[in-house]
Amino acid sequence: MKKVLTVGGSDCSGGVGIQADLKTMTVHEVYGMSVVTGLAARNTMGVHGTFPVSPQFVTAQLDAIFTDLFPHAIKVGMVDDGEIIEVIREKFSEYGVKNVVIDPIMVCDGGNRFLDASVIDAVIDSLIPTATIITPNIPEAEILSSYKITKPEDMITAAEKIAISFEGAVLITGGHLAGSADDLLFVDGDVSWFKADRINNTNTYGKGCILSTAIACNLAKGLDLVESINLAKGYLTDRLGVSPPNFLQ
C-alpha cells in the first residue's frame, strides 16, 4: 500500500485539516499519516479556539515519519508559523521528499486573510519552493501573484506571475469565479484547463483539502500530474453532488 503524509492543522469537527485529509486517503486506499502543526476548536460555523504546536515537536514528528514510514507523496495544508515553515523546508530538503502537494491556505471562508504578512512571506519564500504542485484558490492566487482575478483569462496571468519564482506546477482552482468551476494548470509555460459544471451546493466546507489530498494520493500511486488532477477533480465533483460533502471524504 502506498503511503501519504499530511502536514497541517487538526480540525476537531473533521471537516477540514488533517482529519479531512486522512478520510480522503482512506477512500483512495492509501496508508495515511499526519504531522500536526496546530490544533483548532472549530466547526462549520467558525473557529472557537486554537492551540499551537512547537517547532521542536513538528521536527520530532517529521523525523519519526521519514526515518520509518517514508511517504510516497505529501500534502501540506495549514501552517501559520514561520518557524514551523522553516522546519518543514529543512526536513523536506534533508530527506529528499518527492510528490509534494501544497494547499497554500491563507484566506478564510469569508475572504479575509488570517496569516500575518511575515508568515505569508515565509509560505512564498520557503514553503512553496518545496512543492511539486501548489493548489491555490482564486483569493490565494491573488495574494501569491499580486494580481486581481475576475475572469478565467486572469487566472492565466496570475499563474504566469506565480511561476516566475516557482519551478513546480500551479493549479488555480476556479470555484470562486461566477459561472464556472474550471481549474487552470500551468506547467513550464503550458496551460491546461480542467472543466466542470458548477454544483449547486452550499456545503463546500473542506473542498480544498479534499482536492489537494486526492491529488497527492494519485501521485503516490504513480499517476502523472494531469491524470492525478483529472481523477481528483472528478472525485471532488462527485462529493459536491452529495450533501454535505465534508462527511463523505
Side-chain angles (χ1 to χ4, degrees):
M1 181 178 286
K2 300 299 184 181
K3 299 183 290 293
V4 180
L5 170 66
T6 173
V7 180
S10 170
D11 166 29
C12 63
S13 72
V16 297
I18 62 169
Q19 286 86 347
D21 296 344
L22 289 169
K23 285 187 281 185
T24 301
M25 292 175 193
T26 298
V27 173
H28 281 77
E29 299 182 331
V30 299
Y31 183 79
M33 304 171 291
S34 63
V35 166
V36 181
T37 60
L39 297 92
R42 67 170 295 169
N43 53 28
T44 60
M45 296 181 288
V47 178
H48 306 280
T50 60
F51 189 82
V53 173
S54 71
Q56 293 77 18
F57 192 66
V58 172
T59 298
Q61 293 178 79
L62 289 168
D63 284 333
I65 295 296
F66 291 144
T67 57
D68 183 30
L69 299 163
F70 199 87
H72 296 90
I74 302 172
K75 178 270 178 80
V76 181
M78 176 64 191
V79 187
D80 61 359
D81 182 278
E83 289 186 57
I84 291 177
I85 289 173
E86 186 60 23
V87 165
I88 294 169
R89 184 197 66 78
E90 290 176 354
K91 290 301 175 181
F92 282 11
S93 176
E94 176 183 346
Y95 289 101
V97 299
K98 305 293 184 184
N99 295 326
V100 178
V101 181
I102 292 181
D103 183 10
I105 302 171
M106 301 176 177
V107 181
C108 65
D109 292 339
N112 296 318
R113 299 188 190 190
F114 59 83
L115 295 183
D116 294 336
S118 62
V119 178
I120 291 177
D121 287 343
V123 170
I124 294 171
D125 296 336
S126 295
L127 187 60
I128 285 178
T130 70
T132 304
I133 179 173
I134 61 173
T135 62
N137 59 30
I138 283 176
E140 291 156 353
E142 289 178 335
I143 294 172
L144 294 173
S145 65
S146 300
Y147 187 81
K148 183 66 176 177
I149 300 172
T150 60
K151 56 185 182 297
E153 292 79 5
D154 294 336
M155 295 168 68
I156 299 175
T157 301
E160 290 173 341
K161 292 179 176 293
I162 295 169
I164 290 174
S165 57
F166 171 57
E167 294 182 358
V170 180
L171 179 71
I172 300 179
T173 59
H176 286 79
L177 282 183
S180 75
D182 298 345
D183 299 342
L184 167 73
L185 176 65
F186 188 89
V187 185
D188 296 330
D190 294 330
V191 171
S192 301
W193 288 97
F194 298 83
K195 297 184 177 296
D197 294 332
R198 181 175 294 279
I199 304 297
N200 185 22
N201 187 339
T202 59
N203 294 307
T204 59
Y205 184 57
K207 64 185 182 300
C209 297
I210 295 172
L211 179 67
S212 54
T213 303
I215 293 171
C217 291
N218 293 328
L219 290 174
K221 295 177 181 179
L223 300 178
D224 65 30
L225 191 58
V226 170
E227 185 64 12
S228 294
I229 295 170
N230 258 325
L231 290 175
K233 187 168 178 64
Y235 177 72
L236 177 59
T237 300
D238 288 344
R239 294 304 89 213
L240 290 173
V242 181
S243 181
N246 48 298
F247 295 154
L248 296 164
Q249 270 84 6

CSV table of all heavy atoms in Angstrom, one decimal, residues 7 19 22 83 107 118 122 152 172 180 187 217 226:
chain,number,residue,atom,x,y,z
A,7,VAL,N,0.6,17.2,6.3
A,7,VAL,CA,1.2,18.1,7.3
A,7,VAL,C,0.3,19.3,7.4
A,7,VAL,O,0.0,20.0,6.4
A,7,VAL,CB,2.6,18.5,6.8
A,7,VAL,CG1,3.2,19.5,7.8
A,7,VAL,CG2,3.5,17.3,6.6
A,19,GLN,N,-7.9,15.8,9.6
A,19,GLN,CA,-8.9,14.8,9.6
A,19,GLN,C,-9.6,14.5,8.3
A,19,GLN,O,-9.8,13.4,7.8
A,19,GLN,CB,-10.0,15.2,10.7
A,19,GLN,CG,-9.5,15.0,12.1
A,19,GLN,CD,-8.8,16.2,12.6
A,19,GLN,OE1,-8.3,17.1,11.9
A,19,GLN,NE2,-8.6,16.2,13.9
A,22,LEU,N,-7.1,12.6,6.1
A,22,LEU,CA,-7.0,11.2,6.4
A,22,LEU,C,-8.2,10.4,5.9
A,22,LEU,O,-8.1,9.3,5.4
A,22,LEU,CB,-6.8,11.0,7.9
A,22,LEU,CG,-5.5,11.4,8.4
A,22,LEU,CD1,-5.5,11.4,10.0
A,22,LEU,CD2,-4.3,10.5,7.9
A,83,GLU,N,8.4,29.7,12.0
A,83,GLU,CA,9.5,28.8,12.4
A,83,GLU,C,9.1,27.3,12.0
A,83,GLU,O,10.0,26.6,11.6
A,83,GLU,CB,9.6,28.8,13.9
A,83,GLU,CG,10.2,30.1,14.5
A,83,GLU,CD,10.5,30.0,15.9
A,83,GLU,OE1,11.2,29.1,16.4
A,83,GLU,OE2,9.9,30.9,16.7
A,107,VAL,N,-6.5,32.3,3.3
A,107,VAL,CA,-7.7,33.1,3.3
A,107,VAL,C,-8.8,32.3,3.9
A,107,VAL,O,-9.0,31.1,3.5
A,107,VAL,CB,-8.1,33.6,1.9
A,107,VAL,CG1,-9.4,34.4,1.9
A,107,VAL,CG2,-7.0,34.4,1.2
A,118,SER,N,4.4,38.4,7.7
A,118,SER,CA,5.6,37.6,7.7
A,118,SER,C,5.5,36.2,7.5
A,118,SER,O,6.3,35.5,6.9
A,118,SER,CB,6.3,37.8,9.1
A,118,SER,OG,5.4,37.3,10.1
A,122,ALA,N,6.9,33.8,4.4
A,122,ALA,CA,7.6,32.5,4.7
A,122,ALA,C,6.9,31.4,3.8
A,122,ALA,O,7.7,30.5,3.3
A,122,ALA,CB,7.5,32.1,6.1
A,152,PRO,N,-11.6,34.1,-16.3
A,152,PRO,CA,-10.7,33.0,-16.5
A,152,PRO,C,-9.3,33.4,-17.1
A,152,PRO,O,-8.3,32.8,-16.7
A,152,PRO,CB,-11.4,32.1,-17.5
A,152,PRO,CG,-12.9,32.3,-17.1
A,152,PRO,CD,-12.9,33.8,-16.8
A,172,ILE,N,-4.6,26.6,-10.2
A,172,ILE,CA,-5.5,27.6,-9.6
A,172,ILE,C,-7.0,27.1,-9.8
A,172,ILE,O,-7.4,26.9,-10.9
A,172,ILE,CB,-5.4,29.0,-10.3
A,172,ILE,CG1,-4.0,29.5,-10.2
A,172,ILE,CG2,-6.4,30.0,-9.7
A,172,ILE,CD1,-3.7,30.9,-10.8
A,180,SER,N,-18.6,29.4,-13.6
A,180,SER,CA,-17.9,28.2,-14.0
A,180,SER,C,-17.1,27.7,-12.7
A,180,SER,O,-17.0,28.4,-11.7
A,180,SER,CB,-16.9,28.4,-15.1
A,180,SER,OG,-15.7,29.1,-14.6
A,187,VAL,N,2.1,24.7,-16.2
A,187,VAL,CA,3.4,24.0,-16.0
A,187,VAL,C,4.4,24.4,-17.1
A,187,VAL,O,4.1,24.1,-18.3
A,187,VAL,CB,3.2,22.5,-16.1
A,187,VAL,CG1,4.5,21.7,-15.7
A,187,VAL,CG2,2.1,22.0,-15.1
A,217,CYS,N,-2.7,11.6,-3.3
A,217,CYS,CA,-2.9,10.1,-3.3
A,217,CYS,C,-2.7,9.5,-4.7
A,217,CYS,O,-2.0,8.5,-4.8
A,217,CYS,CB,-4.4,9.8,-2.9
A,217,CYS,SG,-4.7,10.1,-1.1
A,226,VAL,N,-1.3,15.3,-14.7
A,226,VAL,CA,-2.6,15.6,-15.3
A,226,VAL,C,-3.6,14.6,-15.0
A,226,VAL,O,-4.7,14.9,-14.6
A,226,VAL,CB,-2.4,15.7,-16.9
A,226,VAL,CG1,-3.8,15.7,-17.6
A,226,VAL,CG2,-1.6,16.9,-17.3
